[in-house]
Amino acid sequence: MRIMKKLLSGNEALALGAYHAGVRVAAAYPGTPSTEILEALAGYPGIYTEWSTNEKVALEVALGAALGGVRAMSSMKHVGLNVAADPFFGASVTGIQGGLVVVSADDPGMHSSQNEQDNRHYARFAKVPMLEPSDSQEAYDLIILAFALSEEFDTPVLFRTTTRISHCKTVVEAPDNLAPKVGEARFVRNPSKYVMVPGYARPRHRAMEERMERLAAYSEVFQYNRVIPGEPKLGIVASGVAFQYAREVFSDASFLKLTMTYPLPAELVRRFASSVERVIVVEELDPFLEDSIRALGIPVEGKSLFPIVGELSTEVVEEGGRKGGLLPPAPTPWGRGWRQDSVQVAVEVGCLPTEVGATATQRRLQSADPAGQGKCDAQPGDGAAASLPLRPPVLCPGCPHSACSFALRRLGFYRSMPTSGQADGGKLPGSMRPSGLIVTSDIGCYTLAVYQPLLALDTCVCMGASIGMALGMEKAGIQNTVVAVIGDSTFLHTGIPALVDVVYNQGRTTVIILDNETTAMTGHQGHPGMGVNARGQKTTKVCLEDLCRGIGIKDVHVVDAFDMEQVSATIQGCVARDEPSVIIVRGDCPLHVRAPGEPFAVRQEDCDGCNTCLRVGCPALVRVGNKVTIDPTMCVGGNCDVCAQVCPREAIVLGSQIEARVQGPGSRVGLMESEELVGGCPRDVGVDVPRPEEKE
Amino acid sequence: MRTAVDVLMVGVGGQGTVMASDILAEAALAEGFDVKKSDALGMSQRGGSVVSQVRLGTKIFSPMVKKGEADILLGFEKLEAARWAGHLRSHGLAIINDQAIPPFSVSSGSEKYPPDELVLDLLHRKTERVFFVQGMALAQEAGTTKALNAAMLGFLSVLIDVINKGAWLESLTRALPARLLDLNLVAFEMGRQAAEAARKPLERGT
C-alpha cells in the first residue's frame, strides 16, 4: 500500500478517514466550522451524502443507516448538536448496528457563531464515548478508530473538533489507494433494542451504564491516551489544539495527552499525577477535564490560570503559565520593541478621527486586555494598530438582502431618513421612534443588517427563532408591529413548525422569507428550496410559496428583492391586515449565480451629498469629498439598482449614460494620496464599526 | 534557538491570500518540512480581513504564529499589513503590496485610511526590513491583476531561502488551473526580479 503525505485540514482528514473506514451514509447541515466535512465526503465514490434540512434530521438519517447495518456519520457545528440532541440521546439508548459517529465542530472564540458552548458536556450527558483529535493526522486516525469503537461497544461516538482543528492544515500520512470495505445493509429486527417503550428502555439504561464501565476500562489502555515523559516538576494534562499550545509553551514538562476525553482513564490520570509535582490542565472553554480530575481527589489547577471564555492560543497559555509561576515573567507586556506611546502617536498623525475617539478607546481597551482572547485573531490591535479602521464583513455589492433591510430600517425605530441639510450637518437623522416596527431576525448573511448603516434588526438568537419570537411578542401584548425575518435555508431548517404555530394559534405575524435560493453564508450549499443536492445535482425543489399556503397562510406574496417600492409597500400592506402573512423576497445571491452587469455611476453634477444611497450599505458606494461615487470594479449592476431607486435626485444611472464619465477610485491603488477627500458625514454611518465576528 | 519559520499573510477577501499561503505550505512540505497552517475562514469572501498563518520547521506544534514571533509578514494590502505589524518579531521581514483597499468605514467617510507614514511607522517599530512591492503593477504587466498573489510569492521566494525555486514552481503548477498557469509563472518571475533588485532594504518615503 502506497502512503501519501498530504497537507489536509482537519475536516478534509476526517472525511478521508471516514471514507477509508467505509462510511456508507453521511448527512449534515452546513455550519462553520463543520461544513467542509460533508463537502469533502461528497467527492468520494460509494458514499451517500446529503445536506439534510437540519441537524436533527441529519442525525436521524445517519442513525437509520446505522441501524440498517452500515457505517454512518453526521457532522454539525456545536449549536447543531443542540438541534440534534433528541436523536443523539436516543441513539445512546438504542445503540447501533453499523458504526455511528457524530462529529461536533465547536467554535471557541466564536469566529462565526452566535454563542460559545463546550460540547464535551454532551458526551457525559448522553453517556457516549468521546474522541478529540489534536491535529489532522489524529483526525484521520481517530475517525477510523471511532467507527470500530462504535461497533465494539454498541454506541454512537461523539467526535469533537474545534475551529483550529477543523480548519488548520497539518501533514497527514495516509494510504493513497485504499479500497474501503463497505458493509452490507441489513436490518435485523430487534424491538427490545430499537423500540423504546418504557418496558424496553429500562433495561437499555442498565446496558448503557454497563457500557460506560467497559468504556472506562478501555480508555485506560486506549493507545492515543498517552504520557509524554518530561521534567517531573510540572505535569500538563491536555487534549485537542490546547495540547499543541501547551507543548509549545511548556516544552520541558511531562504531558498526559488525552484523546479519549470521555470516559476519563482514571487510573492513568492517577498514575500520571503521582509521577509529577504539580498537575495543570490546559483546556479550552469549560473545566471539563479539570472537574473530573479533581473529583478523583487529585489536586489540580486549570481555570485559575487559563480563561474560561474564548479560545486559547500560545500567548494565552503563556500568560497563564506566568500567572501560575510556571514561566519567568515577560520582559515587556506586548512583545519586543513595541513603543508604549503608540496610541499617542496615532492621534498625532491624525489616524483617530476625533468623533470616533470613544469607540477607538473602547477598542483599545478590548485589545489591551490579554484575557480577551478570540479577539487577537480578528483584531490584533496594539496601540496605534488598534485604532486602524476595521474591516468587518458587510453585505456584498448586489446583495438581495439590502433593499429589504433598508425598507425595514425606514419602518423601524429610526424616525426618518436624513435630508441633505441634516446630512451635511453631521447630525443624527432625527430621534428614535418608540412605535417603530420590531424586527425579529434569524441566522444568516442578513444578520449583518444589524450593523450600521442598515440598523434593521432587533433580535437574533438561534436557527428558526425569529417566527416564534415574533408571535411571542404579539401574544405578550407588545403594541408595536412585529415582523419576523428569516432566510430560505433557515426557514426550511426550523422555521416551518413555528409558522404552523402562528397559523394554529391565530397569530397575525408577518414573516419575511429572504430567499436568495442558496445557503449563502456557509458557502452556497444546496437546500430543498433550491432543488440542488449535496453533490450539486438537480433534485426535487420544494416551493416555498406552496409550502406556506399549504400550512394555511392565505396572504402569501412573492416580491422582487431589488424592487424597493414593491418590497416596502408589501410589508406595509401585510402588517396592516389582521391575519398572518408571508412575504417571500426573492433575488439571487450575487456570489452564486449572477453574472455582473453594467455598473452604475453617480452623475456628479446631480449628487448633492445627501448620503441616502450610503444607507443601503453597499460597499461599491464610496464617499469622495461631499459626493458619492460608485466603484465600477465592485458594482455588479444587472438586476440590482437599489442605490438608483433610493437616490432622491435620480443622480445614479448606468455608467454608459454618463457622457463625461467621472473616474471612480478604480482599482483603488493610490487612494491614500487623497486623504483630504475624507470629509464629515452623518455619525450613524459606520462610526461604531463592529468587530468582524458574525452569526452563521 | 528558533526551530521554525513563521509566515503571516494578510490581505482582503478576494486578493488570493489563502491560495498564496497554500502554495507556500505545499512548497515547504515538498522540501521535507513539517508544516502547519491556519486560515481565518468564514466571512472572508465578504470583503473582510484575511489572515493566513504558515509555520514550517522540523517539528511544529501550534498551528498559529505567536504574536511578536512572525519572521515574515507578507501584506497584500497596506491597512492589513499595518494592523498585523505587531505580530512581527524584532528585525523580521515585512513585504507589503503597495495597494490600498479602503474598508466600508473609510469609503463611507467616517474613518480615514492610514497614511503611508503611519503604516511605515507601525512596521518600523518592529523592523527596519520593510519592502514595498508594486504588486498590482507587476501582476498587470504579467497580464492580469489576479496574478497579484503569484507576484508576491515570487518576491517572497527570493527572500525565504529555505525553499528552492523548483519546489515553488511545482507548488504553483499544482495549485493553479492550467489555463492560468503561464500567466502566473510570469508574474512569479517578475516578483522574483523585483526582489533581486530590491534586496537592499528600501524604506519608501523616508
Side-chain angles (χ1 to χ4, degrees), chain A residues 5-7 36 112 135 164 167-171 241 244-245 247-248 314-315 318 334-339 342 345 349-351 353 355-356 363 376-378 380-382 384-385 387-391 393-394 396 445 448 452-453 520-521 523-524 591 614 617-619 621-623 667-669 671-672 675 678-679 681 685-687 689 694-696, chain B residues 2 6 11-13 22 25-26 29 32-43 45-49 51 53 55 59-69 77-80 82-90 98-119 121-122 124-126 134 136 204:
Chain A
K5 217 171 162 181
K6 299 174 194 171
L7 204 53
E36 300 83 4
S112 194
D135 59 21
R164 299 300 180 186
H167 281 171
C168 289
K169 288 188 175 179
T170 72
V171 181
V241 76
Q244 307 288 1
Y245 302 142
R247 275 286 268 172
E248 186 125 350
T314 313
E315 293 92 320
E318 207 171 62
W334 283 115
R336 296 164 298 198
W338 195 267
R339 292 213 306 257
S342 50
V345 172
V349 298
C351 165
E355 73 266 33
V356 300
R363 267 188 241 146
C376 61
D377 178 48
D382 279 316
S387 68
L388 294 170
L390 295 175
R391 203 183 290 277
V394 291
C396 306
C445 291
L448 292 171
Q452 310 236 20
M521 189 153 227
H524 303 107
L591 292 180
L614 287 178
C618 176
L621 300 172
V622 185
R623 191 182 159 94
S667 70
R668 298 188 166 194
V669 184
L671 192 89
M672 281 177 55
E675 270 171 74
V678 182
C681 75
V685 179
V687 172
V689 181
E694 278 328 304
K695 318 286 186 287
E696 180 137 309
Chain B
R2 295 193 62 77
D6 292 349
V12 177
D22 277 332
E26 292 287 350
L29 180 67
F33 289 108
D34 186 18
V35 185
K36 289 193 177 180
K37 73 170 296 240
S38 173
D39 303 315
L41 288 177
M43 310 284 295
Q45 66 182 336
R46 273 158 272 273
S49 302
V51 186
Q53 325 196 9
R55 306 193 67 209
K59 174 70 187 163
I60 304 291
F61 292 111
S62 168
M64 316 264 288
V65 174
K66 200 177 142 194
K67 192 184 183 80
E69 297 278 314
E77 198 272 346
K78 286 189 281 194
L79 169 58
E80 295 311 311
R83 199 190 306 286
W84 288 88
H87 273 60
L88 267 173
R89 69 171 167 81
S90 289
D98 193 359
Q99 184 188 5
I101 302 177
F104 183 73
S105 59
V106 171
S107 51
S108 66
S110 64
E111 289 195 87
K112 288 184 180 181
Y113 196 92
D116 276 7
E117 294 69 37
L118 178 63
V119 174
D121 179 52
L122 285 166
H124 278 170
R125 286 159 202 237
K126 282 290 183 179
Q134 300 304 317
M136 291 295 274
R204 207 191 63 149

Side-chain angles (χ1 to χ4, degrees), chain A residues 437-561:
Chain A
L437 185 80
I438 296 172
V439 179
T440 59
S441 187
D442 228 295
I443 310 277
C445 291
Y446 47 92
T447 320
L448 292 171
V450 70
Y451 293 138
Q452 310 236 20
L454 286 163
L455 301 165
L457 313 180
D458 297 302
T459 72
C460 166
V461 178
C462 67
M463 292 287 286
S466 57
I467 300 174
M469 288 178 70
L471 180 66
M473 287 204 191
E474 179 191 327
K475 297 295 185 189
I478 295 284
Q479 290 305 301
N480 302 44
T481 307
V482 188
V483 300
V485 171
I486 187 167
D488 46 349
S489 190
T490 311
F491 175 67
L492 292 160
H493 178 281
T494 32
I496 298 168
L499 187 61
V500 175
D501 197 66
V502 169
V503 173
Y504 169 57
N505 288 305
Q506 308 285 296
R508 54 185 298 276
T509 308
T510 295
V511 176
I512 299 171
I513 301 176
L514 296 173
D515 182 13
N516 58 3
E517 301 192 302
T518 185
T519 316
M521 189 153 227
T522 45
H524 303 107
Q525 290 76 26
H527 69 65
M530 185 181 167
V532 174
N533 69 15
R535 287 186 187 272
Q537 299 150 332
K538 259 197 171 330
T539 180
T540 309
K541 181 173 171 165
V542 173
C543 174
L544 293 181
E545 45 272 43
D546 288 355
L547 180 63
C548 295
R549 288 191 190 101
I551 286 171
I553 302 282
K554 294 189 179 70
D555 195 17
V556 177
H557 305 261
V558 180
V559 299
D560 176 358

Side-chain angles (χ1 to χ4, degrees), chain A residues 183-258:
Chain A
E184 202 181 324
R186 197 167 71 93
F187 178 68
V188 181
R189 196 169 175 273
N190 188 354
S192 64
K193 186 164 182 286
Y194 298 143
V195 184
M196 286 304 101
V197 289
Y200 290 158
R202 284 184 199 110
R204 287 304 301 165
H205 188 185
R206 197 176 310 281
M208 286 163 66
E209 297 300 336
E210 285 165 8
R211 177 179 77 204
M212 288 321 295
E213 281 175 28
R214 285 187 292 127
L215 277 161
Y218 178 80
S219 186
E220 301 285 355
V221 295
F222 184 60
Q223 54 177 323
Y224 282 84
N225 287 338
R226 64 194 170 97
V227 172
I228 302 165
E231 294 285 333
K233 278 178 95 74
L234 177 61
I236 305 279
V237 181
S239 65
V241 76
F243 165 77
Q244 307 288 1
Y245 302 142
R247 275 286 268 172
E248 186 125 350
V249 173
F250 307 109
S251 49
D252 299 329
S254 299
F255 274 81
L256 173 58
K257 180 184 181 307
L258 292 177

Side-chain angles (χ1 to χ4, degrees), chain A residues 151-391:
Chain A
E151 286 163 5
E152 189 179 336
F153 291 90
D154 189 12
T155 176
V157 172
L158 179 61
F159 199 90
R160 190 241 190 185
T161 74
T162 56
T163 302
R164 299 300 180 186
I165 297 300
S166 279
H167 281 171
C168 289
K169 288 188 175 179
T170 72
V171 181
V172 176
E173 291 185 26
D176 191 31
N177 50 354
L178 190 81
K181 270 187 244 147
V182 178
E184 202 181 324
R186 197 167 71 93
F187 178 68
V188 181
R189 196 169 175 273
N190 188 354
S192 64
K193 186 164 182 286
Y194 298 143
V195 184
M196 286 304 101
V197 289
Y200 290 158
R202 284 184 199 110
R204 287 304 301 165
H205 188 185
R206 197 176 310 281
M208 286 163 66
E209 297 300 336
E210 285 165 8
R211 177 179 77 204
M212 288 321 295
E213 281 175 28
R214 285 187 292 127
L215 277 161
Y218 178 80
S219 186
E220 301 285 355
V221 295
F222 184 60
Q223 54 177 323
Y224 282 84
N225 287 338
R226 64 194 170 97
V227 172
I228 302 165
E231 294 285 333
K233 278 178 95 74
L234 177 61
I236 305 279
V237 181
S239 65
V241 76
F243 165 77
Q244 307 288 1
Y245 302 142
R247 275 286 268 172
E248 186 125 350
V249 173
F250 307 109
S251 49
D252 299 329
S254 299
F255 274 81
L256 173 58
K257 180 184 181 307
L258 292 177
T259 300
M260 185 187 279
T261 45
Y262 191 79
L264 202 66
E267 284 313 310
L268 181 62
V269 173
R270 280 202 182 92
R271 277 203 307 280
F272 177 73
S274 64
S275 72
V276 295
E277 289 171 29
R278 196 170 165 189
V279 181
I280 308 278
V281 176
V282 183
E283 60 188 324
E284 263 173 343
L285 301 181
D286 293 345
F288 182 81
L289 297 173
E290 184 186 350
D291 287 352
S292 303
I293 293 172
R294 189 169 293 122
L296 295 173
I298 297 166
V300 60
E301 298 159 87
K303 289 297 152 189
S304 57
L305 305 179
F306 309 104
I308 197 166
V309 175
E311 70 172 347
L312 298 182
S313 64
T314 313
E315 293 92 320
V316 172
V317 172
E318 207 171 62
E319 187 77 21
R322 289 206 188 91
K323 199 168 156 191
L326 308 167
L327 297 169
T332 59
W334 283 115
R336 296 164 298 198
W338 195 267
R339 292 213 306 257
Q340 294 303 306
D341 58 350
S342 50
V343 175
Q344 191 53 43
V345 172
V347 176
E348 282 162 14
V349 298
C351 165
L352 282 169
T354 48
E355 73 266 33
V356 300
T359 308
T361 305
Q362 283 158 12
R363 267 188 241 146
R364 271 201 309 281
L365 288 174
Q366 282 173 359
S367 61
D369 170 19
Q373 336 70 36
K375 286 168 185 163
C376 61
D377 178 48
Q379 192 185 330
D382 279 316
S387 68
L388 294 170
L390 295 175
R391 203 183 290 277

